[in-house]
Amino acid sequence: NVSGNIEDIEVAIDSPSGEEVSAQVQDLGSGTFKAEFCPKIAGEHQIYISFREEQVPGSPFACKVYNVTAIKVRECVKGIVGKPVTFLVETSHAGPGNLEVTVNN
């Protein structure tokens, strides 16, 4: 186990566009630290973490950011019982990931 203080921790975050995103690091005590950031765009962000100017194992870490408000469901025409109904779910601006759709009655 290695002990350190908040000055030993450095967190750098790159957005998908290459812009650096600021992060706030908080000392929770007992050698535990918390980092927070507020992404501005959807997509995969890279999180680089250094301890005493040396990258920690596994760094950079990938963080997928989604924007659920960017998901749009286009108009659905009236359905007929026993016939397929088609509708469009637009997710191109919501970030990377899988789409799951559940239809309830």
Side-chain angles (χ1 to χ4, degrees):
N1 233 351
V2 178
S3 63
N5 56 46
I6 199 160
E7 290 82 23
D8 296 325
I9 304 292
E10 184 178 332
V11 177
I13 302 170
D14 289 338
S15 73
S17 66
E19 290 184 50
E20 190 169 327
V21 180
S22 65
Q24 294 73 44
V25 181
Q26 183 180 4
D27 188 346
L28 299 179
S30 302
T32 304
F33 301 88
K34 175 173 83 171
E36 293 181 328
F37 74 102
C38 186
K40 294 179 175 54
I41 61 172
E44 189 170 283
H45 289 61
Q46 296 297 312
I47 303 173
Y48 299 85
I49 303 175
S50 299
F51 179 74
R52 295 185 179 151
E53 299 183 8
E54 192 171 317
Q55 290 284 320
V56 300
S59 181
F61 300 93
C63 177
K64 292 182 179 177
V65 174
Y66 305 96
N67 181 0
V68 296
T69 62
I71 298 172
K72 306 292 181 209
V73 178
R74 303 289 179 213
E75 187 174 318
C76 178
V77 297
K78 291 182 181 180
I80 299 173
V81 174
K83 302 263 183 178
V85 176
T86 303
F87 59 94
L88 178 68
V89 180
E90 176 63 52
T91 63
S92 63
H93 300 290
N98 297 323
L99 173 67
E100 293 183 23
V101 177
T102 302
V103 178
N104 299 318
N105 55 354

